[in-house]
Amino acid sequence: MVRPVFLGVVVFLTLEVGVGDAHIGSRIYPIWEVPDVELSTIDLQDGSVAEWKAILGPPTLQAADFSNSPTIPWDGSYDAADLTWSMWLGWSSSTGRLYVAIEKVDNEYMNEFALGNPFQFPGNDIIEFMVDGDHSGGEYGFAPDCCDTQEAWRRVHDSQAQHYLAIADAPDQQHLGYVGYGGASFAPSPATSWPYADAGGTSLGKGPTSSVIEFFVTPFDSLVWEAPERGKVSMLSPGKIIGFEVSLPDWDSAGSTTELMNYYTLSQQASTWRYAERFVDGRLLGPSRSTAITATSWGRIKASFGMTDVQGSR
Ligand SMILES: [Ca+2]
Ligand SMILES: [Ca+2]
Ligand SMILES: [Ca+2]
């Protein structure tokens, strides 16, 4: 089956800027570990981020951390009345997973797709989450004409980094999609299901609409889309830097797949669907400040990258 052309390709393919060094920006975002005892308190299906606040404290990311994509025309002013959000990121050394929750308030919430497949996201208020578990950077999203055979494309596309789509309301309860070949065939990759991933979400109200999406994913250094057990899972440990990126399209017109109001990104880079070096950096930290890396080593690490850290949330 021909894969649907997704927004990133449509918008960005002809608007390339040069490939940069891995990774983008001068900030390192702290990602705190979720202690084992608190993993069980995370309920992906309850439509609430209360447990994330209890575990991780203030949000890891908020709307102010994002900017509109350089490839989407807009008036340059962010209006919280249009869309605002808070987001929590965590990880676990026990499960090898990354944990993500977002709470959004959208003045016009679009969730119109059929069959609940989040890959049909043009026109819908999804979020995109991209991860480069080994911080390698490099090209990871490929078009089918990249390779000599379709099989070769399936193997390489979204393998060394992964691009997920998540949506709050999914009639078939498939809240998470993977942009690699599994998503393209409308047969979800096992990488989007237990034990590698799980997701839930819900929305409440209309104009404005409050929505919650909660999920976890397993990052891979090399993902085999149809058989994740044959891939290489990224090793997660305190102090490690990963690449990640978050994008939020904001659609405000029912039934439209062309009237994109805004497209918020963390890295302010085009073509993050394709190049992992355009992600931002996240540092995995221990479950509390007492077990996080010391200020001395932290300062040395920052200096080596010419970076400044973002204050942790705990
Ligand atoms: Ca919850
Ligand atoms: Ca990689
Ligand atoms: Ca919207």
Side-chain angles (χ1 to χ4, degrees):
M1 177 179 290
V2 176
R3 67 192 297 269
V5 176
F6 60 90
L7 178 71
V9 173
V10 172
V11 174
F12 298 140
L13 196 59
T14 59
L15 296 166
E16 293 298 320
V17 295
V19 176
D21 297 328
H23 283 103
I24 290 297
S26 59
R27 300 173 71 178
I28 303 175
Y29 294 87
I31 303 175
W32 296 96
E33 182 166 20
V34 179
D36 287 352
V37 69
E38 292 174 312
L39 278 175
S40 62
T41 68
I42 293 180
D43 183 345
L44 303 178
Q45 310 297 332
D46 65 356
S48 168
V49 295
E51 75 272 37
W52 301 79
K53 294 177 180 175
I55 298 168
L56 297 170
T60 312
L61 300 168
Q62 294 182 288
D65 296 309
F66 291 72
S67 298
N68 208 47
S69 168
T71 59
I72 304 294
W74 78 324
D75 63 10
S77 60
Y78 170 70
D79 184 358
D82 203 35
L83 179 68
T84 190
W85 63 94
S86 294
M87 193 165 182
W88 290 261
L89 301 179
W91 71 285
S92 166
S93 57
S94 298
T95 65
R97 297 165 177 159
L98 296 173
Y99 295 81
V100 183
I102 186 167
E103 185 173 41
K104 297 196 293 181
V105 178
D106 191 341
N107 64 337
E108 298 285 348
Y109 173 66
M110 296 300 132
N111 191 82
E112 307 272 322
F113 58 80
L115 302 177
N117 187 320
F119 211 91
Q120 300 178 29
F121 79 89
N124 294 288
D125 286 317
I126 64 159
I127 73 164
E128 302 177 57
F129 182 74
M130 292 153 256
V131 59
D132 180 18
D134 62 1
H135 196 258
S136 64
E139 192 167 12
Y140 77 100
F142 296 87
D145 62 1
C146 70
C147 310
D148 292 338
T149 65
Q150 187 177 64
E151 181 63 20
W153 166 62
R154 293 175 182 175
R155 286 280 158 263
V156 73
H157 183 41
D158 262 68
S159 178
Q160 70 97 346
Q162 292 83 49
H163 182 175
Y164 294 95
L165 315 174
I167 195 160
D169 293 302
D172 63 357
Q173 306 307 312
Q174 185 66 36
H175 293 269
L176 188 69
Y178 159 64
V179 172
Y181 184 73
S185 67
F186 290 157
S189 165
T192 63
S193 301
W194 188 275
Y196 302 102
D198 197 10
T202 191
S203 65
L204 183 67
K206 184 172 177 59
T209 299
S210 174
S211 63
V212 167
I213 306 172
E214 304 174 76
F215 61 92
F216 66 75
V217 297
T218 302
F220 286 82
D221 295 349
S222 175
L223 172 58
V224 180
W225 73 271
E226 81 280 28
E229 70 278 7
R230 291 198 276 113
K232 181 182 179 187
V233 172
S234 301
M235 298 303 296
L236 305 183
S237 58
K240 182 174 183 174
I241 286 185
I242 65 169
F244 77 99
E245 172 65 8
V246 180
S247 302
L248 287 92
D250 180 19
W251 302 85
D252 281 358
S253 297
S256 171
T257 58
T258 56
E259 296 182 30
L260 180 64
M261 296 302 293
N262 286 307
Y263 188 74
Y264 299 103
T265 73
L266 203 50
S267 69
Q268 303 179 46
Q269 299 293 304
S271 298
T272 52
W273 65 271
R274 183 173 182 179
Y275 298 114
E277 67 268 29
R278 299 184 184 187
F279 298 175
V280 299
D281 286 347
R283 178 171 291 277
L284 307 182
L285 299 174
S288 72
R289 289 194 184 280
S290 62
T291 56
I293 55 177
T294 65
T296 301
S297 63
W298 182 235
R300 189 165 58 241
I301 291 165
K302 286 190 300 182
S304 70
F305 284 92
M307 289 176 161
T308 56
D309 62 308
V310 178
Q311 290 300 308
S313 61
R314 289 169 67 94

